[in-house]
Structures are given as structure tokens and as C-alpha cells.
Amino acid sequence: MKEYIVSARKYRPGSFDAVVGQTALTTTLKNAVKSGKLAHAYLFCGPRGVGKTTCARIFAKAINCQNPTAEGEACNECESCKAFNEGRSYNIFELDAASNNSVENIKALMEQTRIPPQVGKYKVFIIDEVHMLSTAAFNAFLKTLEEPPAHVVFILATTEKHKILPTIISRCQIYDFERMTVPGIIKQLKMVADGEGITYEEEALDVIAEKADGGMRDALSIFDQAASFCQGNITYHKVIEDLNVLDADNYFGIIDLCLDNKTAEVMALLNGIINKGFDGSHLISGLAMHVRNVLMAKDEQTLPLLQVSERQREKYKEQAKKCPAKFLYNALKIMNDCDINYRQSGNKRLLVELTLIEISQLTQPGDDTEGSGRGPKRLKTLFKRLAGNKPAEAQQVAEAEVRKGGDAAKKTAYSVQPVAGRNADQQSEPTVQHEPAATATQPAVQRSLKGLKLGRFGKTFDNLRHRGDDVAETDESVVDSDGINEASVFSGEQLVTQWMSMCNRMPQEMTGIAARLKNITPVITELPNVEVVVDNQILLEDVQKIKSRIRKTLALALKNRELTLSVRLAKPEEMKRVLTNHERFEELKHNNKAFEKLADILGLEPN
């Protein structure tokens, strides 16, 4: 039986022209070989599987070739080229810095630099994964790298350039390798398939290319796996099954259903996807990338940004014609919020379902029929129009909205009065006043507006984290908003849960105080009054500064507009000594006999 060689090795390029996707770099290296103007050190950087080590080997063979071609390629016929191809060259050394990263390894390598080459012009040292060298090894290497012998050329390869010392980088010519494009990978896979006598569907190769994420070696490895599974006939559906990839048709279907506001069908499709074993976050991230591609397909200028096959590109263009740009923008924002909150969510499937429901209702037309009432969106629009007009104009707007509410609404008058102490032109926070109605029946608009204040709403930590709002202190008395329109009963456990969630959502600049707040357990003194006890004056002052924001966040989360928050310093008898891990372990054993028995059986010890 013939020995099997994986495609990544069998079809490894042997010349610069065979390298895929790095035309600029290979042209530069060929010109250096032709001109004989070689640097003493090169640094090849880039992601995995894009040809760094391959190009280093080709370059090392080319500069030692005794009869290079006019294009700067090795002849493959001289003694130096034959020795390299047969793996017996004494002029080219490879060192894996991941496993040989000590000072002794580098010193042994430096000893080799003193011996001139026996055949050819240069001794070439290829150091792969050079960022894995220790600091001491880098320092031992530095002097030789700065002033090497004339017959020595160093080629360093790494996937993490930022981990290399700046003193090393400054002594090298730097070549940044690019990720492979999807069309480039597909072209190479077709060549390999033809060479191996394997039939294929272009959509299947497209899936493999996208899965490879810009790495040709990864693409060839996946290709071998798919070829084994498909037994020489690579089809789209078999590749989807083998790689456990979510079919792109699902994404196209979800967006089409959302455009038609078919929420029930979206939920059924989601259930089928989850039953196949796909994670909710995987679906959301994939759908977000799909929507991004649809957005790019709406404009001919951004169409080249799609790293997909030509057939897939046409499908994106067709769907882009049906999708309004506003729908795509809002869908991306909703999915981004879902992705941020996914890890913290206790019911992840519900979060994904709510996200898809919200997207499916983005294009739903507003209901303006008489007697239908006013939903939250229309109320917000009304408030903005009221706040943006002068008093006389706002009066007309309010009356016009009332007239839309039906016959009962016509009997009710609203007036918008300016806040005392401001000029009419500066009015920005009007208040809605209800005048006595002619009948006992109140329209839906009046019931909806009752109890709502049009002042500036309080800010929460979630606002600060996601929108970057101004961190100025908010008036604690102004707390009514759309999110707090009830006085729900909550338990101590719910309070603690929302307290920890609040600490996790606090902005980055409050990381210190958030960590200290996590060690505090708020208690309910008398519903809905919440008390927080801190153990030092400094923390007390810090908490007082953001007290209104904490109260606002808890009120929103617990759905109780009556919630109050008090903060005080702990009394001496309330102060508890912080126990060490060993003391906690012993206390737990003392208070729980079952745990003590289990600890003895398993031989548990505190960290």
C-alpha cells in the first residue's frame, strides 16, 4: 500500500510562484535573490498556516542555489538544491523555539555560525516560533544578530510579533504575511482536488474555505477530512454534516421570515437549529455576520468585502435588495447586545428567542387605527415632539394626538405648561397636565400618560457601559421612566442576584469599587426599603457618590419604582473578621458533619 501523505505536506509549495496569496512578499524576496542584496536577518510574521516557514525554506534554498533562474527561483538541479530537496543540506538549520527556548540551545546555535558553509554561499538559520524564546535566550541571541558573520542569514518566523523584544525587531527586515482570501483558498483546493482525482461541489469548497479562517494549512486539513468522509465526492450537504456547520440557508431563511414579521416560523426554525446541537451564541454570532454581509452587499463599493464564493455573493445581493438599511442596522445592534449579555444570562435560550422576536418585529408597521390605543413607541414619539416644541406648538401637538384617540378622547383636553423659572424659548422639559374630563370615560392616551414624568430620566450602569453617557450625577428624585411603571414585590435572593449583576455591568473605570461592592450583601429592612452596610468611611463616601445610580439600577431590575436605598457605616459589633480559606474550611467542617465526613473520605484540603 502506498504511503499516504496529507495534502498540507504533499502540496507544500517548492517555489515562490507556487505560494498562494503572498504575491508582494514573494516578489520582494525574488528580487533580493536576483540582485544579491540580502539582509542578515528577516522576520516573517502572520497568522498560522499562511506560508511563513514555507517561504523561509524556499528563500534559504534560493540564496544558496549555484545557478538561480532569471526570475530569482532556485534551479533544483545544482548540488545545493539537490541536498536541500533530499533533506541532507548542512547549510540550512531549522530550530523550533517552542521546544528549544533555553540559553543553552541558542549558544549551541551560535557556535554553528562560526563555521563557514562547505557548499553554497550562506548558512541559513530558520528559527520557528521565535516568540517562545526566553528573555535570557533573546539576550544571548542579540549580539550575534546585531553583527553576524558575512556568511550567516537568520530567518525568524512567528505568529505573535508583539511578544518579541523591540531590540530584536529593529535588527530585522519585517515581512507581514496576509490571511488567505476565500477565493484564493478555493482556487488552491480545486487544484488539489483535481490532482487527487476528487470530485467536488463549489459550495462545499466555499464552506471549507470559510471554516479555515484564512489559513491554507487549515483548509487542506479540513479538505482531507471531508474527502475521507465523502469518499472522494465532496458535496455541500456532506461537508455541512461532517464539519457540524450551521447551513447558511438557515440565516437567509431567518432574515426572510423576520422581514415578513413571521415570528412563529422563526421560533420553529430556532427550535430545529437548537435540536441539532447548535449553541445559541453560535447562531447569534453567525446571524450577525450574515446580516453584516447583507449590509455590505447593498453597495457595489463594499461588495468586494464579502469573502464568499460568487454564487453566495449573488444570494447576498438578492437578499440585500429586500432588506432596508435601517432594519439591518437595528438588527446588528440587537444581536450585539445579545452577544454581550449571553454569558451573564441565566436563561440563554430565552435571551436568544427574545432577540429573534425583537428582530422579527422591526419592520412591523405601527397601528394607527382608532381605538387601538398608543403603544410605547408612539408614546416616546409623542414625548419627543412635545419636548422639542415651544409651549404653543406643543399644545397643538397634544390636542392633535388626543383627537386621534377616538370620540372619548375628544372630550378630554391636555395642556402643556412651561416649567417655572425658564423662558418659553428655552423650554425642554414640559409637563403634561390633565384637565377635568366631560365624562367618566378616559381615553387610552390619558391612562397611558398618567403618572409619567417628562423630566430627565435617571442613568443606570448599563447606560454608562453600553452608550458611554455622561457620568454626571443624576437627581435621585427623578426616577420614573418606561422601565419602572410598577411596584413589584421582590425577595432578598432576587435583590442579591440583581446586586451582583449590577456590579458585573459597572463600567471599566469603576472596576475597583465594583469589586468591593461584590463583598457587600444588601438587605431588605422593610419592603421596598433596602439597606447597605459598609465597613469603612472611604467606601461609604464612594458609595454615596453613586447612590442614586445604584438605586436606579436596582429599581429597574426589580421593577419597583418605590424602592429606596440607604447606606450607612457598620457598627463595631457588626464588623466581622475576614476568614482565611483554611478557617472557612474548618468552620464548614465544624458546622456540617456530612461535609466533614466527605472531606475525610476524599482527603480534601483548603487551597
Side-chain angles (χ1 to χ4, degrees), residues 116-167:
Q118 302 303 311
V119 178
K121 301 177 183 179
Y122 299 97
K123 268 198 168 183
V124 184
F125 296 87
I126 301 174
I127 304 179
D128 206 2
E129 302 298 336
V130 69
H131 66 274
M132 298 292 287
L133 290 178
S134 64
T135 304
F138 268 129
N139 292 330
F141 180 46
L142 188 59
K143 184 62 178 178
T144 305
L145 182 65
E146 184 178 11
E147 297 177 358
H151 59 266
V152 171
V153 174
F154 291 106
I155 304 178
L156 314 180
T158 179
T159 55
E160 301 184 52
K161 182 172 68 173
H162 62 278
K163 292 185 177 181
I164 301 177
L165 295 179
T167 49

Side-chain angles (χ1 to χ4, degrees), residues 301-437:
Q301 292 182 337
T302 56
L303 198 58
L305 298 178
L306 297 183
Q307 295 291 321
V308 295
S309 64
E310 287 299 324
R311 185 169 180 177
Q312 284 288 91
R313 188 173 307 210
E314 291 300 321
K315 293 180 68 176
Y316 278 117
K317 288 174 66 176
E318 288 297 321
Q319 190 166 74
K321 294 177 183 178
K322 299 185 291 183
C323 296
K326 185 177 180 181
F327 165 79
L328 299 175
Y329 292 138
N330 291 333
L332 282 174
K333 183 180 182 302
I334 292 170
M335 286 184 285
N336 183 61
D337 292 339
C338 176
D339 186 52
I340 292 172
N341 297 323
Y342 190 83
R343 286 189 178 182
Q344 299 178 0
S345 175
N347 192 337
K348 292 179 170 52
R349 174 164 180 167
L350 179 60
L351 176 63
V352 174
E353 290 176 341
L354 291 175
T355 299
L356 295 180
I357 289 172
E358 193 171 354
I359 295 173
S360 68
Q361 295 178 347
L362 286 176
T363 58
Q364 189 166 344
D367 193 354
D368 292 327
T369 59
E370 291 187 1
S372 62
R374 293 292 180 265
K377 288 187 177 179
R378 290 195 54 78
L379 283 178
K380 287 183 179 179
T381 304
L382 170 61
F383 295 158
K384 289 180 180 179
R385 293 173 63 190
L386 289 174
N389 290 323
K390 296 180 180 180
E393 297 172 350
Q395 171 75 21
Q396 298 174 2
V397 171
E399 292 175 354
E401 290 293 332
V402 170
R403 285 194 292 272
K404 293 181 182 179
D407 295 336
K410 296 178 181 178
K411 300 177 182 179
T412 305
Y414 291 85
S415 64
V416 181
Q417 301 298 335
V419 177
R422 296 189 183 182
N423 295 328
D425 292 341
Q426 298 175 339
Q427 187 66 25
S428 62
E429 297 182 2
T431 59
V432 178
Q433 296 182 351
H434 302 268
E435 294 184 3

Side-chain angles (χ1 to χ4, degrees), residues 52-72:
K52 298 185 298 297
T53 306
T54 297
C55 284
R57 292 176 178 175
I58 296 172
F59 186 51
K61 181 173 70 171
I63 63 179
N64 271 320
C65 179
Q66 296 171 346
N67 302 300
T69 64
E71 291 77 20

Side-chain angles (χ1 to χ4, degrees), residues 456-471:
R456 58 188 170 93
F457 298 153
K459 292 184 176 63
T460 67
F461 292 109
D462 197 52
N463 299 144
L464 296 174
R465 185 168 182 259
H466 294 120
R467 302 174 189 168
D469 290 346
D470 185 13
V471 296

